[in-house]
Amino acid sequence: MLEQLLIFTRGGLILWTCKELGNALKGSPIDTLIRSCLLEERSGAASYNYDAPGAAYTLKWTFHNDLGLVFVAVYQRILHLLYVDELLAMAKREFSEIYDPKRMNYNDFDETFRQLRKEAEARAEELKKSKHVGKPVNDGKKQGQVKKGGFEVGNKKKSEANDGGDGDTGKSYKLENGHSNGNHVNIEGSRAVVANSKENASSNVGAFDVSKLQKLRSKGEKKTDTVVNKGSKVHPKKKITKKNRVWDDSPQESKLDFTDPLEENVNENIEVVGTDHGESMMDKEEIISSDSEDESEEVGKESKPDTKKKGWFSSMFQSIAGKANLEKSDLEPALKALKDRLMTKNVAEEIAEKLCESVAASLEGKKQASFTRISSTVQAAMEEALVRILTPRRSIDILRDVHAAKEQRKPYVVVFVGVNGVGKSTNLAKVAYWLLQHEISVMMAACDTFRSGAVEQLRTHARRLQIPIFEKGYEKDPAIVAKEAIQEAACNGSDVVLVDTAGRMQDNEPLMRALSKLVYLNNPDLVLFVGEALVGNDAVDQLSKFNQKLADLSTSPNPRLIDGILLTKFDTIDDKVGAALSMVYISGAPVMFVGCGQSYTDLKKLNVKSIVKTLLK
Amino acid sequence: MEGMEQWRNEAKQWLQQGIEYAHQIPPTQLYAAAAVLLLTTLFFLIIRLFKRTKSSTIVLTGLTGSGKTVLFYQLRDGSSHQGTVTSMEPNEGTFILHSESSKKGKIKPVHLVDVPGHSRLRPKLDEFLPQAAGIVFVVDALEFLPNLRGVSEYLYDILTKASVVKRKVPVLICCNKADKVTAHSKEFIRKQLEKEIDKLRVSRSGISEADVANEFTLGIPGEAFSFSHCSNKVTIAESSGLTGEISQVEQFIREHVRP
């Protein structure tokens, strides 16, 4: 049954826990919930799954925004308790009546809660009985459904249009589950998974008792085994060597590898003009204009003519009087307008939707301050949420990381990944230029062995910047080239190795496998996803698939995921900066660099405040 | 229209009466009254100026999970009640410290603010720093080494903020969870922090012209960094939130909030 129900303030003090359900929770599910879900603006999601060694919990929550309270219920994931939502709502109602900010002790709530729980359980039993009576035929089908429904997230993924590949998604979840027993919380892997979850499955499946539980668990084990076998079978099939593409009836080329070992010496003799293009924009201060407040007020006034005159008058009156509590229906129009505005700024539709839900969850039931319009309250809450998302969760001081790696006498390896044509090679050169300006020795590794001219392109950059480059020509295995490059860097004492990879679409299975192999084999310090700011809804798909494939196809227990984002072509979008938000939200990785031009100095840091201002303008 | 006329006439009459009355008073009295008014306003302004420089806000900050909320409730109520979780919002309160509540006499209440340590909520600290009379930087002495980099970066950021340097706000580095057996000693923590901040100085000063966040540099260039180089007073103490051993923190608070 229910493992635990907690009531705590937004400031962090636990006000009440159920003493009857005395089992201590394994791991720290509440803290993880707060850090990975509520603070990541995913509070609109229906539930959160937590894995700890020895336990798999599902958490559900509700807020009382007016009093600043959070109610969280924890239960075992395998049980599908129907009554949790209801119980939370009832508990919220009862508790808010006895709540007093000065009081710290709420032992009298124990009795009330016991009654509530009995009621809720009784109601759930009735519902289950009526469902069972009504559908005896579907029981067989239910068993099959339960098998899949028991792994809710896999089911939900199917309902999402974004992720194709049925076997893949099922596999990803199973693998994760198999790992959970030996792992601590795999937040990174599950983030993409959790972000897409909606609690559709649980309503379909009725609650059942322990005997069915055990059957289910054994079935689940079998399924993981079959899936793993499937995975290994796929491997030998894909070892087909690549045939050269023939576009028309031209005669087949014998060899595409144009690297001429003799030519390399010739290139060195050509005169090299050392390039000094001035200070990289990473090191220049950003001039932030400070007239943001006036602009937001004006915009608020502009949106007024949209609503009817009567609505305007009543809202003005209410804003002066200070209406009692914000209801969802009141927030709807303001949130819709905000969502449309975000979408015109090129934020992916899914992300805008989730953000609006999260903001609604945090504002519902709050007392509206007097002299404020609903739209301004919503705007302020959205602004805070955006700043919170875009603020990096960990330090993005690369120079410090490089120095730390230097102390350990090993090179700092950065791998640039991304789809075709986003600007990996160009921005790699920009990053190399910036690092050079800080007296760090850089080496490039040309692991793009597919695209014609990629190696020569990097060679040219290396010549202009006067840094060593490691290349092995074309048609070689990129993972091996990268490994050798890192060894070479350790030998000749380079501090940083920048690895360029070929662009690949996120759906291309063999290429993603090759990338995963490169990452797994070389274990880089930073996996940088290069994404262009022009991308729209595809950003969500790209990032989630990249992360997913890196997690799935990696054979190590701790797969490396995307650690940072490099946003390119930022100068081509005027104020449609939404791609940054979509990418950060879906992957949780911070934006480390922003490419804003095509010369060496056009690289800068993300300015969170200006992006938020532009998004909400 | 007639109403307006009447009203205007009445106003005129009042004005004339007022002027007559003013003429009647001997000029010395008038001047004396004006002078008294001026003096009292000046007096209040001066008092307010003085009062403003001595704010009584103490800010509790540190990494997430170091024990700030527990300390907050210990200082306020003498117990941490049923435990805490990661804070999502700051805890603020103006109160007399629990241990002083039994003392007789007038004690000034302390305005204590517990700012969440989660990195996504860092910007909240900037709201409270300008009014801080003292900062208590809470460090988890148990899980010190894994978090060393995060702790030192945060501490470095705080010590180089303009509002801290210009007003010479005193900082107390509080090594919390000292009741545990494997907790590190405050001397060890101090040495490690000084070493890390020294390294940070080097890597941050490389981009100091551009780094908008770090407005000042710490310490004396060329010498190993030590907390005594800071212009504001940095002290280090031990405490234990769970058992209630918070005497050193309370002492710091009493020192910097004038009763």
Side-chain angles (χ1 to χ4, degrees), chain A residues 5 7 18 36 51 75 179-180 269 285 322 336 362 368 383 387 456 475 508 517 584 605:
Chain A
L5 190 127
I7 307 179
C18 183
S36 352
D51 289 306
Y75 57 94
H179 289 152
S180 70
N269 291 338
E285 280 187 36
K336 179 121 192 1
S362 73
Q368 194 185 0
E383 194 172 321
V387 169
E456 277 78 10
E475 308 269 319
N508 193 327
K517 178 179 162 201
V584 173
K605 286 194 261 226

Side-chain angles (χ1 to χ4, degrees), chain A residues 152-198:
Chain A
E152 296 156 348
V153 183
N155 208 3
K156 285 165 213 153
K157 268 222 153 163
K158 265 180 237 171
S159 61
E160 285 287 333
N162 274 340
D163 300 312
D166 199 302
D168 274 345
T169 58
K171 194 163 80 164
S172 75
Y173 190 89
K174 303 313 185 272
L175 273 175
E176 200 184 303
N177 217 6
H179 289 152
S180 70
N181 296 329
N183 238 6
H184 285 285
V185 179
N186 190 0
I187 301 175
E188 302 299 301
S190 64
R191 171 156 306 105
V193 165
V194 169
N196 293 336
S197 69
K198 286 226 154 70

